[in-house]
């Protein structure tokens, strides 16, 4: 009974202190580790050199940090779970202290001018990360994000390789890493992305061949690796192993061999960009891809100089949405078939 009275007396003192000290006392006493979150956010603000829209003006001691603009906290523990400050024209660097936000799941910093490396310890987000103007390597710690569904790191200055440990991200559905300086080979372990729908690695410095394990990811809808130095040939069963393929963009690489006959099995195909490679032989039938909108085959070694080289155009008469076609600089012989006059009026 004495202990019970002592407990109520203690809670009464706490209540009085809360009234006197405000929410800062609650953060420090009742919620333990929240002080780490508050200091991490203040460190993030300190690294910002320009805030033209005043996006971080509310980040001060007058209110609890969970009420700061752009900050989202969990209801149970009042820890930072989300930080959203995209399209704010912020300048400066990404503070490494952001990695101390151990409950962080969402980090949105799109369309700013932030520089510096991705903080090593910030690999606790479970949904996705998006930065602009970042440098350095993709940290291997990101491979521990078992719930990561989308990785958006396009239009940065990231270098190094794609970490092979990324293959552990079994929940990944989108990887958007175009327009960086990522090099070396595409690791075979990435074939573990069984739920992947979009793989976009264009405008990088990738070399070597695409692992066949990736060509077996039947869920892929968008496959884009244009403007790299990737070599090798496309697998003969491409249209069978990638039945959901809608976009195939591998232009400006070093691909060789022929265009697989099974390409027509990818019946959902809408965009086919194979230009500026070293493809040879005749173009196969495309009669089973009625949704085809664009086909660009220019600057290859396609055709054999024979009169029927362009007969594949006859198989496109059902592609009523076709509006873009590029065939220049190849070895096509013969003449354009009369069926070309039946193409869409948009062509």
């Amino acid at each position: 009974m004495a202990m019970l009275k002592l407990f109520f007396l203690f809670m009464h003192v706490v209540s009085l202190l809360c009234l006197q000290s405000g929410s800062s006392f609650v953060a420090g006493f009742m919620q333990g580790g929240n002080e780490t979150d508050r200091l991490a956010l203040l460190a993030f603000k300190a690294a910002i050199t320009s805030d033209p829209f005043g996006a971080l003006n509310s980040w001060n001691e007058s209110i609890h940090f969970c009420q700061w603009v752009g900050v989202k906290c969990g209801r149970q523990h009042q820890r930072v779970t989300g930080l959203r400050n995209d399209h704010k024209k912020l300048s400066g660097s990404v503070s490494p202290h952001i990695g101390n936000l151990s409950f962080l799941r969402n980090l949105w910093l799109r369309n700013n001018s932030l520089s510096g490396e991705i903080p090593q310890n910030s690999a606790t987000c479970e949904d996705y990360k998006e930065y602009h103007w970042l440098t350095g390597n993709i940290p291997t710690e990101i491979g521990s994000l078992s719930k990561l569904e989308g990785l958006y790191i396009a239009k940065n200055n990231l270098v190094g390789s794609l970490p092979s440990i990324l293959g552990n991200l079994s929940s990944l559905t989108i990887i958007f890493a175009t327009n960086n300086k990522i090099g070396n080979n595409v690791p075979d372990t990435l074939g573990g992305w069984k739920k992947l729908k979009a793989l976009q690695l264009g405008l990088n410095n990738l070399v070597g061949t695409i692992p066949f394990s990736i060509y077996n990811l039947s869920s892929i809808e968008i496959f884009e690796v244009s403007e790299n130095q990737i070599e090798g040939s496309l697998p003969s069963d491409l249209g069978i192993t990638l039945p959901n393929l809608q976009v195939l963009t591998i232009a400006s690489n070093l691909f060789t061999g022929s265009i697989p006959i099974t390409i027509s099995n990818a019946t959902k195909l809408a965009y086919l960009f194979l230009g500026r490679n070293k493809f040879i032989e005749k173009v196969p039938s495309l009669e089973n891809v009625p949704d085809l909108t664009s086909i660009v085959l220019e600057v290859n070694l396609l055709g054999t100089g024979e009169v029927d080289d362009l007969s594949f155009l006859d198989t496109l008469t059902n592609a009523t949405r076709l509006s873009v076609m590029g065939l220049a600089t190849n070895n096509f012989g013969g003449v354009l078939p009369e069926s070309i006059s039946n193409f869409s009026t948009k062509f």
Side-chain angles (χ1 to χ4, degrees), residues 211-246:
F212 280 95
S213 59
I214 291 181
Y215 289 125
N216 287 325
L217 297 178
S218 60
S219 58
I220 287 185
E221 298 175 1
I222 300 175
F223 186 93
E224 194 274 306
V225 295
S226 58
E227 298 196 40
N228 282 286
Q229 300 176 53
I230 298 173
E231 55 189 16
S233 59
L234 296 175
S236 59
D237 57 352
L238 177 72
I240 298 174
T241 59
L242 300 180
N244 295 303
L245 194 63
Q246 298 178 29

Side-chain angles (χ1 to χ4, degrees), residues 268-311:
K268 300 177 183 179
L269 193 63
Y271 298 90
L272 182 61
F273 292 91
L274 309 181
R276 299 186 180 277
N277 280 287
K278 298 180 180 180
F279 287 110
I280 60 174
E281 300 181 353
K282 295 183 178 182
V283 179
S285 169
L286 297 168
E287 62 179 343
N288 294 327
V289 285
D291 294 331
L292 197 63
T293 300
S294 301
I295 176 171
V296 177
L297 308 175
E298 61 187 14
V299 194
N300 274 289
L301 303 172
L302 293 166
T304 59
E306 299 178 6
V307 294
D308 63 343
D309 278 347
L310 295 173
S311 61

Side-chain angles (χ1 to χ4, degrees), residues 16 36 43 51 86 92 130 153 169 183 209 222 243 261 329 346:
L16 291 176
T36 300
D51 180 9
D86 44 358
E130 183 162 348
I153 49 176
L169 304 180
T209 61
I222 300 175
I261 295 177
T329 318
K346 296 180 180 180

Side-chain angles (χ1 to χ4, degrees), residues 5 7 12 35 41 58 67 74 84 102 118 129-130 134 138 147 160 224 228 232 235 287 299 308:
K5 291 181 179 179
F7 172 76
H12 178 66
E35 181 68 7
L41 292 174
S58 65
Q67 296 177 300
R84 184 165 191 166
S102 56
I118 298 176
K129 301 154 69 64
E130 183 162 348
L134 292 172
I138 300 174
K147 296 182 181 180
E224 194 274 306
N228 282 286
E287 62 179 343
V299 194
D308 63 343

